[in-house]
Structures are given as C-alpha cells and as structure tokens.
Amino acid sequence: MLEEEVDVENGQKEWGSYVLYRDELGERLDGHLDRKRKWRETRRGRGVVGVSFSTDCYMDGRSGKITRNVVKALTDHEKYTRVLTRNPILALQDLDVFQTAGEYVTIGSSIPCMDAGQVTAIESNAPAPEHRLRGLKEFNKHGVQTFVSMSPTYPTQDKNNLREHLERVAECDPAVVFHEPINPRGGNFEMTVQAARDAGEEKLAEELDRLRNRERWIEYATNHLRWVQEIGQEMGLPVHLWPDKQLIKHVSDEEQIWLQSWRDRQSPEEFAEREDPASPIPNIPHMSV
C-alpha cells in the first residue's frame, strides 16, 4: 500500500515524509457510532480512544481536517478521546471542536527534551519543542485539558536538565506528565543513533550508542525514572512513569516492586471518569547513582 500510493519502500526509515489520507474517516466513524449500541467492557479498560499514537494526526492541513471530524464524531457520542500530536499549533485550528468537547477530550504532545538541536536531529520533520509547548499553553489558556509525554528522554540529560525540562513542561499546566526512557532495541533505535550522527549531534549519538550495553541502559533508565519521580513530587507535578517491561527483569527485587507498581498504577489525571489512584505514589528504593 505504501509503495503503490506514496512510493515508499521502508515505512520506518521514511517516516514523516509521507501521509496516507482517509478523508472520510470521521463521517464513517460517526455513522458507526450512531449504530453501535453495545460496548465490550474489560476489567482494566478505561474507555479512552487514542488519536494518534503510531503516527501524527496533524502532519498537515488535510490530515488535520480528518482529525477534526474524528474528534468531533467521538466526542459528540461522548467517547473519551486522547489526542497526541507533535504539532499542537496546527491543532489550534480546531480549538472550537476541542472546547465544545469539554470533558471528553485531552490533547498532548511528546516533548522528550527542550534542546531543539537534539530533538530536531532525531525528529527532523517535526516541530521544535518550544513550538509544541506553545501550542499546549494556548489550549490550556482556552480551557482544554493538556498532557505531556516526556518520551523518550535522552541519555545526555542529567538531573538538572530534567528539572529544567519539567519546569518548562509545567507552563502548560498538564493534567499528567508521562515519562519513559528510550528503549535501545529494534530497528527504530538504530535509525535514531544514525539520525543523531548524520545531524552532527555527536555527543547524543555517542551516548545513545552506549545504551547497547545493558548495564549502561539499566543505569540510565532507572536514574531517569527516579529523578523524574523525585522532581515531580518536589514540584507537585502529576507525573506517571512508563517503565519498560524488559528493564524490570534486570533490576533488583526492590526496584522491580517499585517499577511494576508504576506499570500497574492508574495515571493520576481527572479524565475519562478516572479518580486519583487510591494507592500512594510508589516508594523509590535506595539506588546507587
């Protein structure tokens, strides 16, 4: 399909250089929701529709129009909708739909780092982090709930960098700040290292490359998770950690309990009829720096 419609041979390698449009998706979804009367419920399900977590729903004006219709269809039918985009400035063209949706929508952006050079090296076709934050601040200013995904934070960031990062993120008054260290497995990681190197970000490329060593990855990932939790608690920010399943297998018993508790915990946002988690924030075990 990619090769036939947009002349793309490698969807991962050429990500961001093509878009496949489904122009009538919103209308089709609206008709489907009109007809659907029964919904499957699961013990862990929260009834939230994610738009879009494997691509970007505001890559350009045409995709934005599709997204507008999708969000309107979902929220008109009172389906809770979480929108993730690297281009919240473009999403502001649909501010009226988001405001009308009220409690049924939240919009967020991935902001892994505030260093534009490093972010642009890895996400060359995406808006700069300042641009993303500015868009979220505008949504918050107009009463639309926001969230931030600090994913993935880079191994070049120390604790002070993460503190500065969270101080900037706090400017959009997010309902939740998700955090995840980078996962050094698979083809995407290989492309990330090469992209940093091609962009001349040698220090970033070197630090990423070091994560191929499992012990180095464990040290970096656990430190970042610990620091984000500590700083978030100090600042009163609603952070929610996303530890990797593989990471949990390779840490101490105490650390396993800590990280698994985060994986099992509901995010602390008032969205989709959620209540604050009954359990306290998981305690950080003693760890060596």
Side-chain angles (χ1 to χ4, degrees):
M1 183 178 178
L2 287 173
E3 188 171 0
E4 291 177 0
E5 297 198 17
V6 285
D7 195 28
V8 167
E9 294 183 2
N10 188 320
Q12 288 292 339
K13 189 173 183 179
E14 299 181 54
W15 192 96
S17 65
Y18 62 91
V19 187
L20 293 175
Y21 300 100
R22 300 191 179 202
D23 294 295
E24 298 180 0
L25 183 59
E27 292 78 2
R28 291 168 55 196
L29 178 60
D30 189 53
H32 174 73
L33 293 172
D34 279 340
R35 295 189 300 272
K36 193 168 182 64
R37 292 291 177 265
K38 294 183 179 180
W39 295 84
R40 177 172 172 263
E41 296 183 3
T42 62
R43 182 178 64 85
R44 293 176 63 87
R46 297 293 176 187
V48 179
V49 181
V51 183
S52 55
F53 286 69
S54 59
T55 180
D56 199 304
C57 52
Y58 280 101
M59 293 185 80
D60 59 17
R62 183 175 170 186
S63 60
K65 183 178 178 181
I66 298 168
T67 301
R68 175 188 178 90
N69 293 335
V70 166
V71 172
K72 188 174 187 306
L74 288 166
T75 57
D76 281 353
H77 289 84
E78 299 184 342
K79 306 305 174 193
Y80 291 102
T81 306
R82 187 190 298 280
V83 178
L84 179 66
T85 177
R86 291 187 178 95
N87 200 353
I89 289 288
L90 180 57
L92 285 166
Q93 68 185 9
D94 300 323
L95 179 61
D96 59 324
V97 170
F98 283 85
Q99 287 179 307
T100 300
E103 66 173 313
Y104 291 102
V105 72
T106 181
I107 183 167
S109 190
S110 59
I111 308 178
C113 176
M114 292 306 299
D115 185 319
Q118 293 189 50
V119 174
T120 301
I122 292 174
E123 304 173 6
S124 59
N125 294 314
E130 289 284 353
H131 185 100
R132 306 178 200 185
L133 182 59
R134 183 159 55 90
L136 293 182
K137 288 166 68 174
E138 280 297 307
F139 272 105
N140 178 68
K141 177 182 174 182
H142 289 91
V144 178
Q145 180 171 293
T146 65
F147 70 95
V148 171
S149 174
M150 283 176 57
S151 174
T153 48
Y154 302 155
T156 49
Q157 295 168 275
D158 61 21
K159 189 173 184 179
N160 287 333
N161 296 142
L162 292 173
R163 184 181 299 278
E164 293 170 0
H165 189 170
L166 284 164
E167 287 172 350
R168 294 302 315 279
V169 161
E171 294 176 13
C172 71
D173 191 24
V176 63
V177 179
F178 297 109
H179 170 247
E180 180 182 23
I182 201 165
N183 180 339
R185 301 189 299 275
N188 282 351
F189 181 73
E190 296 292 337
M191 287 188 287
T192 297
V193 176
Q194 190 59 49
R197 188 165 286 124
D198 292 344
E201 289 285 343
E202 291 297 334
K203 181 179 179 182
L204 176 59
E206 180 182 335
E207 289 298 322
L208 287 169
D209 200 45
R210 289 181 64 200
L211 297 183
R212 300 178 198 277
N213 177 282
R214 190 171 72 185
E215 294 305 314
R216 169 58 187 150
W217 172 57
I218 292 170
E219 178 187 24
Y220 139 78
T222 52
N223 275 339
H224 271 219
L225 290 162
R226 175 166 60 94
W227 291 338
V228 168
Q229 178 173 337
E230 288 175 346
I231 298 166
Q233 287 182 268
E234 290 172 16
M235 295 178 60
L237 269 179
V239 299
H240 186 78
L241 307 186
W242 279 340
D244 186 274
K245 287 182 181 180
Q246 292 299 315
L247 176 65
I248 296 175
K249 294 179 180 180
H250 300 295
V251 295
S252 69
D253 291 346
E254 281 188 310
E255 291 165 349
Q256 285 182 5
I257 293 171
W258 166 52
L259 296 177
Q260 188 60 49
S261 295
W262 275 111
R263 287 190 63 88
D264 295 338
R265 195 170 193 265
Q266 180 175 298
S267 57
E269 56 190 321
E270 293 183 2
F271 180 60
E273 300 178 354
R274 292 165 181 251
E275 298 176 356
D276 283 341
S279 59
I281 290 177
N283 290 324
I284 304 172
H286 175 74
M287 296 161 57
S288 58
V289 179

